[in-house]
Amino acid sequence: MAATEAEADIHLDGVSKRFGEMTAVDDLTMSIPRGSFYAMLGPSGCGKTTTLRMIGGFEDPTAGKVYLGGADVTQHPPYKRDVNTVFQSYALFPHLSVEKNVAFGLERKKIGKSEALKRAHEALELVQLDHVGKRKPAQLSGGQQQRVALARALVNRPRALLLDEPLGALDLRLRKQLQIELKRIQQDVGITFVHVTHDQEEAMSMADTIAVMNGGKIEQAGSATDLYERPRTAFVANFLGISNLIDAKVTGDQRVTTHDGAQLHAPECAGLTGDVRIGVRPEKITLVPAGEAVPDGSNVLKGKILVAAFLGVSIQYVIQAAGGEELNVFAQNFSGSEPEALAVGREVQLVWRPEHTFVVERG
């Protein structure tokens, strides 16, 4: 359940940001509860980084208010906001040791040197790097440098930590490793993390709540499961994973008809009328050779196999449905080879359970 304004650790009320004639963020209202891991996910230019910068105080809203812990901080500069930001660039001081990099912000707050170093080592221990405190940043790997930047942001014990694509400069293996580390650290420290990313897998693996942004607005926010299984727009369905979307018309209670005449059961279309698009994820579909029996009550489309690509753990099929759509199907690799009955050119039936059908407006 979304946090109310009164419960929110971070709350944006009708926030907009315009750069000349361009609107980067458009009348955005959002609430982030204390201690949550919140991801803003979307393509370049969708407004996610601008939103993060307004929370941090690096950009002033053109309109609207920003609240931290219930207090209006819209006019406060970054240093007066109880948040820290971790950027994609590590911005470590090359001439200082790791421990002094982490302690730097504490010393500026006139905390004693011994106390600052004690807290710095606690922060380094949190990111599992206490053993490199005496080294210089150049002696560390990219992943280690990013964890030092994270420790430096956490050492001040801020209300919230803002993460602006912090893993974007790392290779795939390191990104996956640090995704797990970030989630562990957030659970350990219990503070609010707000994470900006364009990587759907990154958001899904870490965040309690994901807000999918498009055109300066939030298209849909919810858990990874909610967004993946029950997308409300075609944009969300296609941005989070692969979706098969098929044009259809609502023709009865929880029933639709595709333009080639196939009758399908779509429980989520209850109460809707007119033209819609129904969707089903590729892994929910089973391919059955043409003419073979299918389970009662199943949704069924006829098609022909255009592509069968062996991917090791699975086989990806591209099927041309009778209505002309090209649909993706992922089949688990049980046999160690591509079944002859599902070879390229074969006629097949695409079979799935009605409850795996979602419905979005036809755009």
Side-chain angles (χ1 to χ4, degrees):
M1 182 179 294
T4 66
E5 178 180 345
E7 297 168 334
D9 203 29
I10 299 170
H11 178 72
L12 274 60
D13 184 12
V15 168
S16 296
K17 180 63 179 180
R18 291 185 286 276
F19 298 96
E21 297 297 313
M22 193 271 287
T23 299
V25 178
D26 188 8
D27 193 22
L28 179 64
T29 295
M30 60 187 282
S31 293
I32 302 174
R34 179 74 172 161
S36 63
F37 200 129
Y38 192 96
M40 288 186 286
L41 174 69
S44 297
C46 72
K48 58 188 187 295
T49 294
T50 301
T51 301
L52 194 79
R53 290 177 63 82
M54 287 190 288
I55 295 171
F58 300 105
E59 297 284 356
D60 295 325
T62 307
K65 300 285 187 181
V66 177
Y67 297 88
L68 295 177
D72 183 352
V73 298
T74 310
Q75 302 302 320
H76 292 191
Y79 67 89
K80 287 191 175 181
R81 301 191 186 198
D82 191 14
V83 299
N84 277 345
T85 305
V86 178
F87 299 100
Q88 188 176 125
S89 59
Y90 316 129
L92 301 176
F93 299 114
H95 63 289
L96 295 181
S97 67
V98 165
E99 63 183 11
K100 288 183 177 178
N101 262 281
V102 175
F104 182 79
L106 292 175
E107 292 175 4
R108 291 182 62 190
K109 290 187 174 184
K110 298 183 179 179
I111 293 174
K113 186 174 181 180
S114 62
E115 177 63 18
L117 285 175
K118 175 177 174 289
R119 289 198 196 176
H121 280 279
E122 289 173 352
L124 285 169
E125 189 174 351
L126 186 66
V127 299
Q128 300 181 350
L129 285 179
D130 194 34
H131 61 289
V132 302
K134 301 297 183 184
R135 297 183 195 174
K136 297 290 179 62
Q139 296 175 287
L140 305 181
S141 69
Q144 288 175 322
Q145 289 184 47
Q146 188 58 285
R147 283 152 70 185
V148 172
L150 185 63
R152 184 177 59 186
L154 289 169
V155 77
N156 287 322
R157 301 169 186 170
R159 168 177 289 277
L161 189 66
L162 311 181
L163 301 148
D164 187 9
E165 306 236 24
L167 310 183
L170 305 176
D171 63 42
L172 179 61
R173 181 185 62 81
L174 269 178
R175 281 207 310 273
K176 289 184 176 295
Q177 177 185 335
L178 283 184
Q179 286 168 16
I180 297 169
E181 283 296 299
L182 270 176
K183 183 63 176 176
R184 177 191 63 79
I185 291 165
Q186 192 272 334
Q187 290 172 339
D188 286 348
V189 298
I191 67 173
T192 305
F193 276 30
V194 185
H195 182 202
V196 158
T197 182
H198 64 274
D199 186 324
Q200 55 175 302
E201 184 178 314
E202 190 170 290
M204 293 174 74
S205 67
M206 294 190 293
D208 305 314
T209 301
I210 302 170
V212 180
M213 295 191 67
N214 182 31
K217 294 178 178 290
I218 293 176
E219 290 247 342
Q220 187 177 347
S223 69
T225 302
D226 287 339
L227 296 178
Y228 187 83
E229 300 290 351
R230 293 171 288 279
R232 293 201 295 263
T233 69
F235 179 85
V236 173
N238 284 319
F239 197 81
L240 221 69
I242 298 173
S243 289
N244 295 307
L245 295 175
I246 305 157
D247 289 344
K249 183 183 290 290
V250 178
T251 52
D253 183 29
Q254 302 185 20
R255 299 201 71 81
V256 299
T257 302
T258 65
H259 61 79
D260 64 314
Q263 304 286 318
L264 303 174
H265 188 55
E268 291 196 9
C269 80
L272 299 177
T273 59
D275 293 335
V276 296
R277 301 184 84 187
I278 64 162
V280 59
R281 297 289 187 177
E283 71 278 6
K284 310 289 190 185
I285 300 172
T286 300
L287 292 182
V288 177
E292 290 191 10
V294 302
D296 291 342
S298 298
N299 280 339
V300 182
L301 289 176
K302 295 179 180 179
K304 181 179 180 180
I305 298 176
L306 299 181
V307 176
F310 184 76
L311 304 179
V313 70
S314 63
I315 302 171
Q316 180 176 358
Y317 294 95
V318 179
I319 313 295
Q320 184 171 48
E325 303 93 349
E326 290 190 2
L327 308 178
N328 286 279
V329 178
F330 296 149
Q332 192 72 27
N333 173 21
F334 291 116
S335 64
S337 62
E338 299 173 21
E340 180 61 30
L342 299 178
V344 171
R346 293 297 182 96
E347 300 290 334
V348 292
Q349 303 172 86
L350 297 91
V351 181
W352 72 94
R353 290 160 54 185
E355 59 266 33
H356 291 151
T357 309
F358 59 85
V359 181
V360 299
E361 292 183 2
R362 192 184 301 187

